């Protein structure tokens, strides 16, 4: 399968600071990437769809000014959590769409964010 | 009604037996169907994709699709303790870019 990386794998930050998470498709180009959040023992929650060269599409209830998404190239999307608070502590996972007849989606390993 | 429904489990299966995981979906126009495995604390891993009615086999895994019944299943033969995980069913419509996930079935293989 296709490989997607995320960096960092974990991050601890102070309340009020901003954190940037990178998502890269390593062996394929991805015009579309997705950002998810998952709280312990809960389901994946889609936050936004990131499209290369255009604005991200956010799911209902997700604050676009708080979760900034940039998809500047066909292999890189970034998620910036601005003014992070303890309730933003979660497991953030990106995925990338492998274009083709099947449009399979491959996930990165995730980033665990802890806000103190 | 949820778009993709799965029994949350836990489903407990003895080692060596067949584990059967089921999923139903509401959108008749869905074209692509996926099974992901997620270990605790890890991200989901794609293990099977299926697009046509019938069975698709890959090693110990068999995916089954019945579009008329809007039903997709995953069979795991010769279950191993390492198969213990949450299995996510996911569905994509013809024109949609995003995948709709079920809430997952927790599978436990007991030695």
């Amino acid at each position: 399968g296709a490989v997607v990386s995320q960096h960092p794998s974990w991050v601890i930050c102070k309340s009020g600071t901003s954190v940037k998470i990178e998502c890269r498709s390593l062996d394929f180009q991805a015009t579309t990437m997705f950002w998810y959040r998952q709280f312990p023992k809960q389901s994946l929650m889609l936050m936004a769809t990131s499209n290369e060269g255009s604005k991200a599409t956010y799911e209902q209830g997700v604050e676009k000014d708080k979760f900034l998404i940039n998809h500047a190239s066909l292999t890189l999307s970034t998620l910036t959590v601005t003014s992070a608070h303890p309730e933003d502590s979660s497991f953030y996972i990106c995925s990338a769409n492998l274009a083709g007849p099947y449009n399979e989606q491959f996930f990165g390993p995730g980033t665990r964010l802890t806000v103190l | 009604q949820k778009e993709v429904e799965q029994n949350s489990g836990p489903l407990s299966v003895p080692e060596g037996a067949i584990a059967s995981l089921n999923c139903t979906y509401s959108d008749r126009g869905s074209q692509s169907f996926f099974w992901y495995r997620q270990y605790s604390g890890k991200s989901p891993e794609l293990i099977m994709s299926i697009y046509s009615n019938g069975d698709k086999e890959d090693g110990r895994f068999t995916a089954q699709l019945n579009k008329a019944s809007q039903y997709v299943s995953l069979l795991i033969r010769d279950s191993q303790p390492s198969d213990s995980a949450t299995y996510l069913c996911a569905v994509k419509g013809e024109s949609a870019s995003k995948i709709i996930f079920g809430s997952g079935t927790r599978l436990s293989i007991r030695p």
Side-chain angles (χ1 to χ4, degrees), chain A residues 19-73:
Chain A
V19 174
K20 180 188 279 189
I21 302 169
E22 292 186 348
C23 177
R24 293 181 186 272
S25 55
L26 296 186
D27 51 359
F28 66 103
Q29 294 183 329
T31 56
T32 306
M33 292 183 174
F34 304 89
W35 288 96
Y36 294 82
R37 181 167 56 180
Q38 189 174 37
F39 293 106
K41 298 192 186 303
Q42 292 191 23
S43 304
L44 282 174
M45 188 195 83
L46 179 64
M47 298 175 67
T49 301
S50 169
N51 299 295
E52 188 268 336
S54 65
K55 290 184 179 179
T57 304
Y58 290 82
E59 296 298 303
Q60 193 172 10
V62 177
E63 300 174 58
K64 63 180 181 181
D65 294 330
K66 180 170 180 62
F67 298 100
L68 302 178
I69 290 172
N70 185 286
H71 193 155
S73 80

Side-chain angles (χ1 to χ4, degrees), chain A residues 32 34 36 38 43-44 46 49 59 91 93 97 101-110 112, chain B residues 32 34 36 38 41-46 48-49 51 56 88 92 97-99 101-104:
Chain A
T32 306
F34 304 89
Y36 294 82
Q38 189 174 37
S43 304
L44 282 174
L46 179 64
T49 301
E59 296 298 303
F91 190 39
I93 316 171
N97 199 47
Y102 307 127
N103 281 303
E104 292 171 324
Q105 206 172 108
F106 294 92
F107 283 86
R112 196 162 301 282
Chain B
S32 305
F34 310 93
Y36 288 83
Q38 186 175 23
K42 302 293 185 182
S43 66
E45 173 192 8
L46 179 65
M48 288 289 282
S49 307
Y51 316 97
K56 179 182 177 183
L88 303 170
K92 179 180 268 193
S97 62
K98 64 182 180 183
I99 286 176
F101 282 89
S103 56

